[in-house]
Every structure is written in C-alpha cells, then in structure tokens.
Amino acid sequence: MAKEIQQLVVGMTRDGDIVVKSGRGRMYSVKKAADLEFTCEDLFKDVEKELYATIDTEAETWECISIE
C-alpha cells in the first residue's frame, strides 16, 4: 500500500477534520496533522481551483499532512 495518497478536498467538519473524496467517489473525513494550518476560509480563497490533500496512510489513524 502507498505511504501517501492524494484525495480531492470537498469540505471540513465542525471538528476541523478534512472531508475528502476518493477516486471511487466515496467521501470520508481525515484528521488534520497537528502542524497543518488550514481553515474553512482557505477552501473559499479560489473556488475555481481544486485542492488535494496528501494523506499519510502509515499513521494509525490516517492524517492529512498537506493540502495543495
């Protein structure tokens, strides 16, 4: 299995988790890494641009480590 995967960012939960959509169309939330600075306002800076989350799959609970 890949150590890191990229998924399309579709939103955020009230708890601050990142909601992503997999290539198969399934949506799920992923915890943000402690050092990741990303807020709901960042989602709306450029609504024409798709954001992708890089997810660390080796962590016990998958974590979003960056958003591009």
Side-chain angles (χ1 to χ4, degrees):
M1 181 176 227
K3 294 179 183 181
E4 294 179 351
I5 58 173
Q6 287 197 327
Q7 303 289 334
L8 179 65
V9 175
V10 294
M12 291 186 76
T13 66
R14 288 183 178 181
D15 297 329
D17 295 346
I18 307 296
V19 180
V20 297
K21 184 176 182 181
S22 72
R24 296 180 185 165
R26 180 175 177 255
M27 291 197 289
Y28 57 95
S29 65
V30 179
K31 296 280 184 197
K32 277 193 319 187
D35 60 343
L36 179 62
E37 295 293 326
F38 188 79
T39 64
C40 189
E41 289 80 21
D42 295 327
L43 285 173
F44 301 109
K45 283 184 180 176
D46 184 0
V47 295
E48 297 296 320
K49 181 180 175 187
E50 291 184 333
L51 297 175
Y52 287 88
T54 301
I55 301 168
D56 178 8
T57 60
E58 289 192 329
E60 187 170 321
T61 302
W62 287 11
E63 280 188 336
C64 176
I65 55 175
S66 71
I67 296 179
E68 301 171 4

